[in-house]
Amino acid sequence: MEQKPQATPEDPAKLAQFQARIDAGESIEPKDWMPERYRKQLVRMMSQHAHSEIVGMLPEGNWITRAPSLRRKMSLLAKVQDEAGHGLYIYCGTETLGVDRAELVDQLLDGRAKYSSIFNYPTLSWADIGVIGWLVDGAAIVNQTVLAKASYGPYARAMIRICKEENFHKRQGFEIVATLAAGTPAQQAMVQDAVNRWWWPSLMMFGPSDTDSPNSAELLRWKVKHKTNDELRQRFVNLTVPQAIAVNLTLPDPDLTYNAETKNWEFGEIDWAEFHEVIRGNGPCNRERLAARRAAHENGRWVREAAEAHAAKQRRRSTEAA
Ligand code: BYC
């Protein structure tokens, strides 16, 4: 019997059919045919995202033992645990693309993989915890609400739950910020200092500007992304400036001005040299973060080994029973 030729990723008819599904707003699921390049782009982006959630636990984790009250400690603990959960959902989503999680974790630990630049900055005071919730989770929500419509089903579905949790994170952060901003002069100074340090790195979370973003065109065409880096950054600024004004905090940008015509808060030039240094591994805490992840991975070795030994025993038992 004559065999049907196998479709290859380069097969133009298959590619056109795939693009038509994307254009029609269909969701792509793990067993569906997809171009190899689409799969690779998703693995790249989703694994970076999962790593960011896991590394992102570290700056806030530093403050769990120093939270100023039991209530603050409970919410911070819950938030940091949520981030671990987010990392796990996204690693699971990435595994549906045929990659092994252990390989992705190895890439993070040996420095081959990227994770969000924002987590390479230090948390110097309690106010940083509030500001991370407000600005960093706030930026993440702006980005991830759109990713919840991404064409790859498992990623989009993970984003829906993650965004719900990120909303709680942002609220707890803003509540800390508002409390400090209405507090003593020392508290006000502490929170203003944290805002001054986190504002520009938060804007960098959205990635390079559109003219300098090599992946955007492809991701937009495949509807993994629905908005460009600059569009999302602008949306974040527009949402955040009125919140800063509401709690009497200033943002460290002398060029910040409202354009009544475009209805945008226009902002100054981002220090892209700093951004590139941080993603090259030379930010203030890159080495510290990777060292902490490596130590945590090593400390967890016995758990992985015990789980593997248990699974092997179960397999032996079921083979014997069969
Ligand atoms: N940091 O072509 P581009 C959280 C890289 S965690 C580092 O524009 P793309 C939270 C980029 O990867 C939420 N690297 O890329 C957790 C690319 O490098 P490669 C984290 C960056 O993919 C705990 C190159 O620069 N959110 O919320 O089109 C506590 C060129 O960029 C960054 C996500 O991960 C960066 N900021 O767009 C609290 C969202 N920006 O791979 C909170 C998912 C860019 O070509 N990811 N690069 O070597 C995305 O939405 C997109 O990947 C990005 C970049 C917008 C980040």
Side-chain angles (χ1 to χ4, degrees):
M1 201 172 87
E2 200 182 292
Q3 287 272 307
K4 264 182 142 189
Q6 281 288 305
T8 67
E10 278 71 41
D11 183 331
K14 279 274 175 198
L15 275 172
Q17 215 174 29
F18 178 79
Q19 190 63 49
R21 289 191 64 195
I22 299 274
D23 294 343
E26 281 182 38
S27 180
I28 307 300
E29 295 299 333
K31 288 189 175 152
D32 294 345
W33 184 87
M34 62 186 78
E36 182 55 16
R37 179 76 192 154
Y38 176 85
R39 195 187 70 81
K40 283 210 166 112
Q41 275 285 27
L42 280 167
V43 170
R44 179 191 67 82
M45 189 167 153
M46 290 168 68
S47 59
Q48 286 178 7
H49 192 162
H51 299 328
S52 304
E53 301 281 358
I54 298 299
V55 178
M57 296 165 74
L58 296 170
E60 291 175 286
N62 281 342
W63 279 88
I64 291 172
T65 54
R66 291 175 285 170
S69 70
L70 179 62
R71 175 171 169 260
R72 293 290 188 214
K73 192 181 183 113
M74 283 161 60
S75 6
L76 181 57
L77 203 57
K79 178 185 190 301
V80 173
Q81 284 176 343
D82 283 352
E83 310 299 358
H86 298 175
L88 297 183
Y89 309 147
I90 307 171
Y91 280 130
C92 286
T94 316
E95 283 177 316
T96 65
L97 292 157
V99 282
D100 180 19
R101 185 185 318 191
E103 164 61 15
L104 298 177
V105 172
D106 280 349
Q107 288 173 8
L108 171 68
L109 298 181
D110 67 20
R112 274 177 294 154
K114 287 198 174 77
Y115 59 85
S116 182
S117 50
I118 192 77
F119 302 116
N120 293 305
Y121 291 85
T123 37
L124 302 180
S125 75
W126 170 251
D128 289 37
I129 300 307
V131 171
I132 288 179
W134 174 35
L135 298 182
V136 176
D137 288 87
I141 293 168
V142 167
N143 172 275
Q144 293 170 1
T145 319
V146 183
L147 287 177
K149 292 182 225 139
S151 54
Y152 189 55
Y155 194 28
R157 288 190 289 273
M159 286 304 114
I160 293 170
R161 169 144 182 205
I162 290 176
C163 283
K164 286 190 180 148
E165 292 174 349
E166 300 287 27
N167 268 308
F168 150 68
H169 299 168
K170 188 191 163 187
R171 278 158 193 262
Q172 69 85 39
F174 191 68
E175 199 224 338
I176 294 172
V177 167
T179 306
L180 293 173
T184 64
Q187 288 173 322
Q188 288 169 5
M190 183 169 75
V191 70
Q192 183 61 61
D193 172 64
V195 171
N196 295 348
R197 286 181 289 105
W198 288 94
W199 174 249
W200 290 106
S202 300
L203 297 194
M204 294 174 194
M205 281 178 75
F206 294 92
S209 61
D210 296 349
T211 48
D212 201 20
S213 164
N215 298 295
S216 279
E218 202 167 43
L219 292 174
L220 286 162
R221 178 157 48 85
W222 282 327
K223 297 193 179 173
V224 174
K225 279 181 168 183
H226 284 263
K227 300 265 183 221
T228 70
N229 297 357
D230 286 334
E231 283 168 341
L232 292 176
R233 190 168 11 247
Q234 185 64 62
R235 178 165 166 71
F236 171 71
V237 173
N238 290 350
L239 288 169
T240 311
V241 175
Q243 294 163 5
I245 294 171
V247 290
N248 288 321
L249 287 167
T250 56
L251 296 168
D253 179 357
D255 295 327
L256 202 57
T257 34
Y258 187 66
N259 182 329
E261 224 170 272
T262 60
K263 295 194 169 55
N264 283 327
W265 279 94
E266 290 171 355
F267 51 94
E269 186 59 29
I270 292 172
D271 184 349
W272 291 116
E274 175 181 321
F275 170 77
H276 288 295
E277 269 305 287
V278 174
I279 65 172
R280 262 198 294 270
N282 301 320
C285 298
N286 295 60
R287 285 171 191 82
E288 192 185 311
R289 299 292 181 239
L290 276 190
R293 279 310 314 153
R294 286 187 192 119
H297 194 68
E298 202 41 48
N299 288 339
R301 177 180 297 282
W302 70 272
V303 180
R304 293 189 298 279
E305 286 173 357
E308 272 163 28
H310 179 70
K313 199 168 160 189
Q314 295 292 95
R315 274 197 302 274
R316 262 200 316 276
R317 277 200 186 140
S318 51
T319 325
E320 278 161 19

